[in-house]
């Protein structure tokens, strides 16, 4: 008689017998097929692609939630996520949903691209299923970090020490952007990587912003929080970006009258004054001036500072012991204050050469060069989307691969924003890069984007696909990637003179076969 494995979802979990049985099969099929086999649990057949059409970052959250209505809880949870399978949460979207549904994961704020809307949707779904989400205190610095079965340095829960080496601005002086080539030393970290992987960094907050937040709550910067000071915790462990609902809940207990109504409305996700999207932690405090929250309660109402993932732009074959990133310095004006991206500003302005910091390598989710070096590849990476393709080109040249390469790159102005121009031209001169197609949105009277270049060169692009080329795209998920995919569908539809559904089916089959891969954010 076979040994019966215990259920994956405990009997105390807040589900009906039917839900528990379904979840046991679902989770077993995803993350423990050997347990499922031992227990005799038949995992449900995977949902056909057309049945999970909401797993698409171009579909707005509210539409995805409608498409998922009536589905089992894990699929509704998955619909609430950012749909990028970026790995920043430590899972992919499906496994993160399964872990929340089974009770194995209580943190509902790990979907960094999904931000507050995803966290709110997950909380609503979990509460609707009868389970309580993790209290704010569990997200505070005092909480014990989650354990990971992955090797040291290959999960956000198990970072190692790496060293910052240098930064170099890639734009010319008259560019409207600031983009940097960042180099790191991995020689003492024990880390290695392959092209297509991402690099996770744990940044610190802007000291000036931290000091402004401390002043706004009228607290001493050396107030003790566990074994650290308030300033240390806010510098290194707490997110000071979008103000979380729990902060407005805390504020609602400290004010009265109309201000209490306003705080409660903001805590529910309402937007009475039309400014909710602009309220970071400092702006939220300034909206309710004069409050003096207990510093510990204040910290517990905030979210943990998340690591940031970047596509690696180097090949270990040409830069052993080193790793590089291509990073846009994010800055924008709201009101009279300049908001800065946490990690991009830390990398572009503050971290000093030789400084150590916590980091990890995130192994790629279905984003890699073909095993056969003779396979042609087409790469589309406007802006910082060039990062993994710089790595691809260096890797292929270093390994002696002879497959043709075609790069689509674009940005604002050729004279100011042509990243790695000398390297790319050298690849062309050596015959490694067979074809280069450039798109500049600010150089002419009409804006030209990479998808426009694809349509212009549709016949040749179709010929590359016909001889087995793999297609890769890296960049903005919601706009650019969607526009490029539409262009590819158009090229198949018009070039092969077939119905649009047939063209879409070809692209879907390319994705399934690993011939259409995306690294989007």
């Amino acid at each position: 008689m076979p040994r019966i494995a215990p259920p994956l979802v405990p009997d105390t979990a807040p589900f009906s017998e039917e839900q528990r049985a379904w979840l046991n099969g679902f989770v077993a099929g995803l993350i423990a097929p050997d347990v499922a086999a031992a227990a005799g649990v038949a995992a449900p057949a995977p949902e056909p692609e057309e049945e999970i059409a909401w797993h698409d970052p171009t579909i707005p959250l509210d539409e995805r939630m409608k498409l998922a209505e009536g589905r089992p809880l894990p699929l509704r949870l998955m619909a609430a996520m950012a749909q990028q399978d970026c790995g920043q949460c430590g899972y992919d979207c499906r496994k993160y949903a399964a872990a929340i549904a089974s009770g194995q994961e209580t943190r509902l704020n790990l979907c960094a691209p999904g931000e507050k809307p995803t966290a709110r949707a997950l909380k609503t779904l979990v509460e609707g299923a009868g389970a309580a989400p993790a209290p704010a205190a569990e997200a505070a610095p005092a909480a014990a970090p989650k354990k990971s079965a992955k090797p040291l340095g290959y999960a956000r829960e198990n970072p190692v020490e790496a060293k910052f080496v240098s930064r170099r601005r890639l734009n010319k002086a008259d560019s409207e952007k600031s983009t940097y080539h960042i180099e790191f030393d991995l020689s003492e970290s024990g880390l290695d990587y392959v092209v297509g992987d991402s690099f996770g960094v744990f940044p610190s907050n802007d000291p000036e912003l931290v000091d402004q937040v401390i002043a706004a709550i009228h607290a001493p910067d050396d107030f003790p929080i566990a074994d650290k000071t308030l300033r240390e915790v806010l510098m290194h462990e707490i997110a000071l970006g979008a103000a979380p609902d729990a902060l407005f809940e805390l504020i609602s207990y400290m004010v009265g009258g109309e201000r209490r109504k306003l705080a409660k409305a903001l805590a529910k996700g309402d937007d009475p004054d039309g400014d909710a999207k602009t309220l970071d932690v400092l702006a939220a405090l300034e909206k309710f001036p004069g409050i003096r929250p207990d510093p510990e309660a204040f910290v517990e109402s905030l979210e943990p500072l998340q690591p940031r993932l970047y596509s690696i732009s180097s090949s270990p074959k040409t830069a052993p012991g080193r790793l590089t990133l291509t990073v846009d310095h994010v800055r924008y004006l709201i009101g009279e204050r300049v908001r800065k991206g946490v990690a991009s500003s830390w990398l572009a302005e503050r971290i000093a050469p030789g400084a150590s910091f916590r980091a990890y390598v995130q192994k790629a989710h279905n984003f890699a060069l073909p095993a056969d070096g003779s396979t042609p590849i087409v790469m589309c990476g406007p802006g910082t989307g060039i990062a993994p393709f710089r790595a691809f080109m260096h890797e292929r040249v270093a390994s002696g691969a002879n497959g043709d390469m075609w790069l689509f790159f674009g940005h604002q102005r050729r004279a100011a924003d042509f990243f790695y121009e000398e390297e790319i031209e050298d690849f062309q001169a050596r015959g490694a890069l067979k074809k280069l197609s450039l798109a500049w949105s600010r150089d002419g009277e009409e804006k030209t984007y990479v998808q426009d270049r694809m349509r212009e060169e549709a016949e040749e692009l179709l010929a590359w696909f016909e001889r087995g080329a793999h297609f890769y795209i890296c960049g903005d998920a919601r706009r650019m990637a969607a526009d490029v995919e539409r262009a590819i569908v158009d090229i198949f539809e018009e070039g092969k003179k077939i119905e649009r559904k047939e063209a879409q089916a070809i692209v879907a089959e390319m994705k399934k076969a690993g011939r259409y891969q995306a690294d989007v954010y």
Side-chain angles (χ1 to χ4, degrees), residues 23 76 106 128 223 269 271 309 337 415 428:
L23 277 170
R76 284 181 284 137
T106 57
F223 188 96
D271 189 7
L309 275 179
R337 179 157 61 95
Q428 274 193 294

Side-chain angles (χ1 to χ4, degrees), residues 473 480-490 500 507 511 516:
I473 184 168
M480 185 276 297
D483 290 340
V484 166
E485 183 168 334
R486 277 191 290 271
I488 298 295
V489 170
D490 290 344
R500 189 161 192 81
V507 172
K511 291 180 179 180
Y516 189 120

Side-chain angles (χ1 to χ4, degrees), residues 241-243 271 274-281 283-284 332 334-335 337 339:
D271 189 7
D275 62 351
K277 290 183 178 180
T278 71
L279 298 178
D280 63 0
V281 170
Y332 53 98
I334 293 186
R337 179 157 61 95
R339 305 283 181 91

Side-chain angles (χ1 to χ4, degrees), residues 266-342:
L266 289 166
K268 292 190 300 182
D270 296 336
D271 189 7
D273 295 339
D275 62 351
K277 290 183 178 180
T278 71
L279 298 178
D280 63 0
V281 170
L282 178 58
L285 295 172
E286 291 173 341
K287 194 172 179 69
F288 297 89
I291 61 172
R292 295 174 178 267
D294 174 81
E296 285 185 293
F298 173 66
V299 165
E300 290 175 356
S301 75
L302 303 179
E303 302 283 1
L305 185 59
Q306 304 272 18
R308 299 302 197 270
L309 275 179
Y310 292 96
S311 302
I312 295 172
S313 60
S314 55
S315 163
K317 285 186 170 62
T318 56
R322 295 294 177 102
L323 179 151
T324 69
L325 304 178
T326 307
V327 178
D328 261 341
H329 186 190
V330 177
R331 292 164 296 175
Y332 53 98
L333 186 67
I334 293 186
E336 297 181 356
R337 179 157 61 95
V338 175
R339 305 283 181 91
K340 297 181 177 181
V342 178

Side-chain angles (χ1 to χ4, degrees), residues 106-431:
T106 57
R107 296 170 294 175
L108 306 182
N109 55 6
L110 299 183
C111 184
E115 301 178 327
K116 286 173 66 173
T118 282
R120 284 195 187 112
L122 294 178
K123 179 181 178 183
T124 299
L125 289 167
V126 169
E127 289 177 341
E138 286 193 30
K146 294 276 184 179
K147 299 290 184 182
S148 173
K150 294 180 180 178
L152 190 65
Y154 295 93
R156 56 183 283 154
E157 294 84 7
N158 290 333
V160 295
E161 293 286 311
K163 286 186 179 178
F164 178 83
V165 175
S166 64
R167 64 178 67 87
R168 169 171 62 90
R169 189 170 182 238
L170 292 171
N171 321 80
K172 302 297 191 298
D174 56 346
S175 174
E176 296 175 18
K177 301 281 188 176
S178 291
T179 306
Y180 290 88
H181 177 76
I182 312 284
E183 186 169 349
F184 306 93
D185 182 355
L186 303 183
S187 59
E188 298 177 9
S189 70
L191 289 177
D192 58 19
Y193 66 94
V194 299
V195 295
D197 289 347
S198 298
F199 194 51
V201 301
F202 287 80
S204 59
N205 281 310
D206 182 349
E208 182 180 351
L209 176 61
V210 169
D211 292 339
Q212 289 174 316
V213 168
I214 293 173
I217 64 172
H218 307 281
D221 61 8
D222 61 352
F223 188 96
I225 305 286
D227 59 346
K228 300 175 183 176
T229 67
L230 173 62
R231 191 173 193 274
E232 288 172 335
V233 169
L234 292 180
M235 274 287 295
H236 304 295
E237 300 180 23
I238 294 297
L240 298 178
D245 298 340
L247 174 60
F248 294 116
E249 281 284 355
L250 176 65
I251 292 172
S252 74
Y253 294 116
M254 304 178 65
V255 295
E258 292 301 315
R259 294 209 300 166
R260 175 175 294 172
K261 290 180 183 178
L262 175 59
K264 284 187 172 294
L266 289 166
K268 292 190 300 182
D270 296 336
D271 189 7
D273 295 339
D275 62 351
K277 290 183 178 180
T278 71
L279 298 178
D280 63 0
V281 170
L282 178 58
L285 295 172
E286 291 173 341
K287 194 172 179 69
F288 297 89
I291 61 172
R292 295 174 178 267
D294 174 81
E296 285 185 293
F298 173 66
V299 165
E300 290 175 356
S301 75
L302 303 179
E303 302 283 1
L305 185 59
Q306 304 272 18
R308 299 302 197 270
L309 275 179
Y310 292 96
S311 302
I312 295 172
S313 60
S314 55
S315 163
K317 285 186 170 62
T318 56
R322 295 294 177 102
L323 179 151
T324 69
L325 304 178
T326 307
V327 178
D328 261 341
H329 186 190
V330 177
R331 292 164 296 175
Y332 53 98
L333 186 67
I334 293 186
E336 297 181 356
R337 179 157 61 95
V338 175
R339 305 283 181 91
K340 297 181 177 181
V342 178
S344 68
S345 294
W346 174 72
L347 290 168
E349 296 179 332
R350 297 196 305 278
I351 187 169
S356 295
F357 64 98
R358 293 180 301 148
Y360 64 101
V361 167
Q362 175 71 53
K363 305 308 289 183
H365 292 286
N366 302 315
F367 193 79
L369 282 168
D372 184 350
S374 66
T375 303
I377 61 172
V378 179
M379 303 165 286
C380 177
T384 56
I386 188 67
F389 305 134
R390 176 182 185 264
F392 279 15
M393 289 186 285
H394 277 287
E395 177 84 4
R396 275 204 148 185
V397 169
S399 62
N402 60 1
D404 289 339
M405 296 191 290
W406 184 351
L407 174 66
F408 286 87
F409 174 75
H411 209 315
Q412 291 187 345
R413 296 180 175 87
R414 176 168 184 147
D417 303 307
F418 191 170
F419 303 158
Y420 305 112
E421 180 177 5
E422 293 80 9
E423 287 184 23
I424 291 171
E425 289 179 345
D426 181 59
F427 284 135
Q428 274 193 294
R430 294 157 63 183

